[in-house]
Amino acid sequence: SDSMLVEGGRLHIIVNAYERNQRARYECIKHYGATCMVCGFDFSREFGSMLQNIIHVHHIKPMSEIKEMYVVDPVKDLVPVCPNCHLVIHSKPEGIYSIDEVKAMRNQMMIKNIK
């Protein structure tokens, strides 16, 4: 029937995947902490110490744009962001939003919601 919503079929998908350096991730979190640079969300503050240091780490310049191996600077090239803000960063129709753009979008909504 047309009203049935079926999931679970198997697809074969080929994508480009880029290696991530776990030490760079660790150094980024060590420097900035595990708090979202956009909204300030901290998993351990909200859900307890078992989620300490749980956070996405965003490449300021997407690896897909670099197209080659490079030496990553965990402080200049990476920032911790929560999954929600990370989704927003990558939702720009062409490219990505900067941290400052997403902060501005968030601030605009906060101001709008106060009124």
Side-chain angles (χ1 to χ4, degrees), residues 67-115:
K67 299 187 189 317
E68 61 187 31
M69 290 180 69
Y70 76 108
V71 176
V72 63
D73 182 317
V75 174
K76 292 180 183 172
D77 299 333
L78 307 175
V79 290
V81 292
C82 73
N84 288 338
C85 291
H86 206 185
L87 178 67
V88 174
I89 289 167
H90 286 280
S91 69
K92 192 172 189 177
E94 293 180 21
I96 61 169
Y97 289 109
S98 71
I99 298 294
D100 288 339
E101 285 176 310
V102 178
K103 282 182 180 180
M105 291 163 66
R106 193 166 179 276
N107 289 340
Q108 285 259 306
M109 289 307 295
M110 289 172 72
I111 291 167
K112 186 177 176 183
N113 289 333
I114 290 172
K115 292 179 180 178

Side-chain angles (χ1 to χ4, degrees), residues 33-76:
T35 301
C36 179
M37 294 287 282
V38 175
C39 71
F41 186 84
D42 180 332
F43 279 98
S44 66
R45 186 176 62 233
E46 298 293 326
F47 296 101
S49 61
M50 67 200 171
L51 293 177
Q52 188 171 0
N53 293 330
I54 299 294
I55 193 86
H56 282 193
V57 171
H58 169 66
H59 285 77
I60 293 170
K61 180 165 185 156
M63 293 180 81
S64 60
E65 287 182 11
I66 298 169
K67 299 187 189 317
E68 61 187 31
M69 290 180 69
Y70 76 108
V71 176
V72 63
D73 182 317
V75 174
K76 292 180 183 172

